[in-house]
Structures are given as C-alpha cells and as structure tokens.
Amino acid sequence: MRWNELTDESGPSTPDLFGVKGLIRTVRTPEFSAVTFHEVLAKSALNKVPRSSSMPFTWTINPYRGCSHACVYCFARSTHRYLDLDAGTDFDRQVVVKVNIAEVLAAELARPKWAHEHVALGTNTDPYQRAEGRYGLMPGIITALAERSTPLSILTKGTLLRRDLPLLSRVAEDTPVEISMSIAVHDDALQQSLEPGTPTTKARLATVRAAAELGFDVTVFMMPILPKLTDSHEHLDSALCAIREAGAARVVYGPLHLRPGAREWFFTWLEHEHPELLPRYRRMYATSSYASKEYRRWLAERIDPLIDRYGLRGSGDGAPPSESRRRGRSRPESATTVDSPAAGLSPPAQQVLF
C-alpha cells in the first residue's frame, strides 16, 4: 500500500464551504474519484504581487485553489488554511474553481489603467491540473490576455497544456508567451510517490517536445531537488540528458524548501517512505524553510557543469525570465543557478496571490 493510499483511511469528512463568498455549488463526480470541486464566482482575476517580492512579474492569475496533483512538498499547501481547510488531504482533494474567471479577467483588462504588464500563471496552484479538463478555463484566460496584448507566462506540470499549444502559438505571433514545464523527479516510482496526481515524467517531456516543435523556448524547472533522493550525479545527469533530448532551451533549479504546512506533510511522507532520511531532514530544516547555503553551494558545484555540458544554461533566479521573449527567439543568457529563498515561485504573501 502506497503512502498516499494510507491517507484515504482516516481523511476528514468532506466540507461544503458554506462560509465561502460566491459559492455556487459543490460537485462530486465519478470521473474525479475522491476530489470535490467547489464552484465559486470570483470578484477579481488579477492578483497584484507585493512590491517586496523578488518575483519578475507584477500580476498573477490562479483559476484554482487546491491542487489534485497532490505533490507532497508543495509550498502552496498552507494557503488552504485560509479556507479553514487543512494543508494535507484537503489541499489535494478540495479544489476551488473560479468558474467565471475568464469573464472577470476580460473586464479587468479592459480598464483604461491596465498597463499590459506581464501576467504569470502557475505561481500558486497548477492551471493545468486535472480540473482543467473538466472546466476548460485556460483558453478563455489566454484569449482575454491576448486580446489586450498582455505578455503571459505559464508554469505547469500538466500535459493538458498540449490542448492549448495551437492557441498559444497563434497568440505568440503578436504577444510574448513563455512556457515552463516543472520536471523535478526522473525516477518513475519516486515521482509517483511524491507527485501521485501528476502526469509521468515521460509525458511531461513529450509536452516539452511538442511545445519546442512549435518554436517555443521551453524552460524546465528542476524544482525541488531533494537531498539524498534526487541529487545524485547519476540522477541529475540522466535528467538533464532527457530534458535536452526533449528540446528544452534551458533549465533552472533549486533545492527543496519546506514551509509550515508543506513541512509537516512532507515529513509524514518521508516517515513512511524513507524513514532513514527523516533525522537528516529534520536537522537540515530545523531552523529554516530553506536548505543551507553549504548545501546550495554543494548542489551548484555538482549540477552547473552538467547544465553547461548539455547546453541548458538559463537565466534568472528561479522564476520565468523577466524580459519576455517572442516564440522561437532567444537572447544570450548568463546565470543558471538558483540558490536564494526567492527561488521556486514562493512569494512571501501567499494570501494575496489568489
């Protein structure tokens, strides 16, 4: 029995979120076993990133709250507590859907004061999680942004992105579009244990290839790299080789960071799956959510030469490039390492990014 199956036996009763403003209905369907959708009417679509944030974009859009990808390390888990839901099973199975988000976004972008600033999708929960197959919110969002000549970036683990690649390709003829795929674990058994609701690594690499063939300079996020689990020379070399063969243009990476909410959930997984590593992780993350400078330096010394070998040197500090590039056109780039707390799209004030 896998660890994620163990959580089924004692999970909390399904809440109906009666206190949430804008709630239309709560939906349970056989096609999405154990997942509950809470359909809401959003008052706004665009979220302003705090000035204090180091993120290279000013606005985000999150069509969903909660994520059926169920990644045990996900930094966004604690955001579910704002809904009086837990950061564990509820985050994986209680998904809030902003069913009117495309219409609200179109109205916001039509305001005279809109400055056509870069908008990022995938900064909190994945816009191409399985729910997107049911609700189809992303085409409307992409179209609304394109109609107002608004640059956009997408970060996802979802292969459903392939459905929208023709649309994104047309949009990119006139508006900068950046595509990034998150592929951190290149061991099938470990990947399915850590990310039980995600597409396989092979399927995500195929999605990278599909986007690259349309001319996109695809960035792959190797985040998080997990100490003693995915940081061996063999794992990193194999991963980067596969990413290069898939046609990616660059890689950015960063070690695991564990915020409250994610920390407890990850440690529970670790206790079941790799108890021998639990003491090491407790020491490493005893006083900080981030890996030590010493570990980040060690990781950089190991992975940077491999990134150079495969020609995947990227730019930035772990977030999508701040200067948008048109499809199929790249510029010379310098930095590749990600070793700062800003890495990994982990904004400091999560609640304002909804």
Side-chain angles (χ1 to χ4, degrees), residues 277-297:
L277 295 179
L278 188 57
R280 180 187 294 268
Y281 271 81
R282 289 196 184 279
R283 289 194 302 271
M284 178 176 286
Y285 294 95
T287 60
S288 174
S289 297
Y290 297 92
S292 67
K293 290 182 180 179
E294 291 75 17
Y295 178 80
R296 298 199 302 269
R297 186 179 305 112

Side-chain angles (χ1 to χ4, degrees), residues 109-127:
L109 298 176
R111 296 171 182 168
K113 66 178 182 179
W114 177 243
H116 309 279
E117 296 175 278
H118 183 115
V119 174
L121 295 110
T123 63
N124 200 59
T125 55
D126 201 311

Side-chain angles (χ1 to χ4, degrees), residues 135-353:
Y135 289 98
L137 302 180
M138 284 296 289
I141 292 171
I142 294 166
T143 299
L145 292 167
E147 288 178 346
R148 294 294 172 176
S149 301
T150 299
L152 69 139
S153 62
I154 297 171
L155 171 62
T156 183
K157 293 176 181 174
T159 55
L160 190 57
L161 170 70
R162 296 183 72 167
R163 180 200 66 192
D164 292 344
L165 284 178
L167 171 61
L168 288 164
S169 183
R170 292 194 297 272
V171 169
E173 293 176 1
D174 301 305
T175 303
V177 175
E178 299 167 7
I179 293 177
S180 299
M181 179 66 67
S182 176
I183 317 176
V185 185
H186 293 253
D187 174 282
D188 290 344
L190 181 60
Q191 183 264 324
Q192 285 299 301
S193 181
L194 281 163
E195 308 167 345
T198 62
T200 65
T201 297
K202 181 178 179 180
R204 280 183 259 175
L205 288 169
T207 304
V208 171
R209 168 58 66 187
E213 288 177 348
L214 285 174
F216 287 101
D217 290 339
V218 183
T219 298
V220 170
F221 278 52
M222 285 184 64
M223 296 181 179
I225 294 176
L226 296 96
K228 295 297 180 181
L229 288 172
T230 62
D231 62 355
S232 71
H233 185 278
E234 292 74 17
H235 185 276
L236 297 174
D237 183 66
S238 176
L240 290 165
C241 179
I243 290 168
R244 176 73 274 178
E245 290 178 351
R250 61 192 60 81
V251 161
V252 292
Y253 67 90
L256 176 70
H257 69 279
L258 292 173
R259 293 185 171 197
R263 179 194 302 263
E264 296 84 353
W265 198 240
F266 180 81
F267 281 176
T268 299
W269 173 85
L270 201 62
E271 185 175 11
H272 281 286
E273 298 295 324
H274 292 278
E276 75 283 1
L277 295 179
L278 188 57
R280 180 187 294 268
Y281 271 81
R282 289 196 184 279
R283 289 194 302 271
M284 178 176 286
Y285 294 95
T287 60
S288 174
S289 297
Y290 297 92
S292 67
K293 290 182 180 179
E294 291 75 17
Y295 178 80
R296 298 199 302 269
R297 186 179 305 112
W298 175 88
L299 179 61
E301 291 173 353
R302 170 162 288 193
I303 194 173
D304 281 349
L306 295 174
I307 288 175
D308 288 336
R309 178 191 301 174
Y310 290 107
L312 292 167
R313 182 162 293 277
S315 70
D317 61 355
S322 56
E323 295 183 17
S324 301
R325 292 177 304 279
R326 291 189 182 276
R327 175 170 60 97
R329 295 188 181 275
S330 60
R331 55 182 172 78
E333 297 171 333
S334 55
T336 176
T337 61
V338 179
D339 64 357
S340 72
L345 292 179
S346 50
Q350 295 290 332
Q351 65 270 32
V352 304
L353 297 184

Side-chain angles (χ1 to χ4, degrees), residues 74-108:
C74 181
F75 73 85
R77 286 186 171 277
S78 62
T79 64
H80 241 41
R81 292 173 174 168
Y82 301 116
L83 300 174
D84 291 328
L85 298 173
D86 69 54
T89 303
D90 283 349
F91 181 82
D92 301 339
R93 299 181 180 178
Q94 306 294 326
V95 178
V96 177
V97 185
K98 302 174 185 178
V99 293
N100 65 331
I101 194 166
E103 294 80 9
V104 173
L105 175 63
E108 290 178 333

